[in-house]
Amino acid sequence: MLMGLGYGCSSVIYRTAAADLFAGRHFVKVFGLIGVGFGLGASLGSAMAGVAFAHFQPYRPAFYLTIGLMLASIVGIWIAAPRTARRAVETLASTPAPRPAR
């Protein structure tokens, strides 16, 4: 149950972080590349863990590699993060419509 909740929440965090870091007209391209990275990691990760197990026997090296890649991801996002807060942009949808005069 906890894994499902954590995994479900993580998809929101990835989208929000990508939108904050790469806002603009190229966001869709960047988010597509993020999706390709997730797909490659999901498809190759278990196969690579199996190869590591066949070579080293315990899964410990695969776990260490996973932890290292996760730390590299955290550092990469921290380096790419903007150093100032962005101002919220008001849109027409966020401002209330004017009331007609009676």
Side-chain angles (χ1 to χ4, degrees), residues 15-40:
R15 289 185 181 113
T16 305
D20 285 345
L21 295 175
F22 305 105
R25 62 185 190 134
H26 296 294
F27 169 71
V28 175
K29 293 176 188 174
V30 170
F31 196 68
L33 286 173
I34 291 171
V36 169
F38 282 139
L40 287 173

Side-chain angles (χ1 to χ4, degrees), residues 2 21 37 45 63 75 86:
L2 292 175
L21 295 175
F63 288 138
V75 169
R86 283 209 249 158

Side-chain angles (χ1 to χ4, degrees), residues 40-68:
L40 287 173
S43 63
L44 297 177
S46 58
M48 290 175 64
V51 169
F53 180 76
H55 186 66
F56 297 110
Q57 286 308 307
Y59 279 107
R60 192 169 293 156
F63 288 138
Y64 290 153
L65 177 64
T66 301
I67 292 168

Side-chain angles (χ1 to χ4, degrees), residues 62-97:
F63 288 138
Y64 290 153
L65 177 64
T66 301
I67 292 168
L69 291 173
M70 290 171 73
L71 290 174
S73 174
I74 291 169
V75 169
I77 289 174
W78 182 72
I79 289 171
R83 299 295 175 230
T84 59
R86 283 209 249 158
R87 294 183 326 160
V89 178
E90 287 192 28
T91 62
L92 293 176
S94 65
T95 57

